[in-house]
Amino acid sequence: VQLQASGGGSVQPGGSLRLSCVASGGTFSGYSVGWFRQGPGKEREFVVGIRWPGSQSSLADSLKGRFAISRDMAKNTVYLQMNSLKPDDTAVYYCAIGSRIIYSRLAVPSAYDYWGQGTQVTVSS
């Protein structure tokens, strides 16, 4: 399975972006999906994840109320909606998938099997 993240770009503070993650060579069926990000000079950090089966999701506490994940199985796409963006949200955003990830491990990068190439998000005035 290959993952392609897109939708990044430059936006002013307070703006919104929606990132997409498309799976090729397979589907998201059977996989939990996570979004991570890595800002300049920072370590990779968890943003949000959604489990399979079901739709139980986990969001980083610092992003609650601004970010949300959704999944469109018909389009084989997972989205990351980002609102009220701040300069600190500037990062490369990655999507990843993994099988049999329990809820408590959604935030753990090593729980994921496949990673996309990342898409740059820059928040600046």
Side-chain angles (χ1 to χ4, degrees), residues 4-12 15-22 35-37 67 77-82 85 89-95 117-124:
Q4 179 75 36
S6 63
S10 296
V11 64
Q12 292 187 340
S16 298
L17 282 175
R18 188 177 74 164
L19 306 184
S20 300
C21 179
V22 178
W35 285 95
F36 293 78
R37 69 184 184 182
F67 287 23
T77 302
V78 173
Y79 301 101
L80 174 63
Q81 179 66 45
M82 306 185 296
L85 284 163
D89 296 319
T90 295
V92 178
Y93 285 73
Y94 301 88
C95 60
Q117 86 292 354
T119 184
Q120 175 71 47
V121 172
T122 302
V123 185
S124 174

Side-chain angles (χ1 to χ4, degrees), residues 10-94:
S10 296
V11 64
Q12 292 187 340
S16 298
L17 282 175
R18 188 177 74 164
L19 306 184
S20 300
C21 179
V22 178
S24 59
T27 72
F28 286 112
S29 178
Y31 291 101
S32 297
V33 183
W35 285 95
F36 293 78
R37 69 184 184 182
Q38 187 164 15
K42 299 180 181 180
E43 295 185 354
R44 186 170 298 190
E45 64 174 343
F46 172 72
V47 174
V48 64
I50 185 166
R51 279 200 71 229
W52 179 281
S55 298
Q56 190 179 23
S57 64
S58 175
L59 177 65
D61 288 342
S62 62
L63 302 176
K64 288 182 178 178
R66 298 195 299 123
F67 287 23
I69 190 171
S70 61
R71 186 168 55 196
D72 188 333
M73 300 303 289
K75 294 184 178 180
N76 207 29
T77 302
V78 173
Y79 301 101
L80 174 63
Q81 179 66 45
M82 306 185 296
N83 300 322
S84 302
L85 284 163
K86 305 175 181 179
D88 282 349
D89 296 319
T90 295
V92 178
Y93 285 73
Y94 301 88

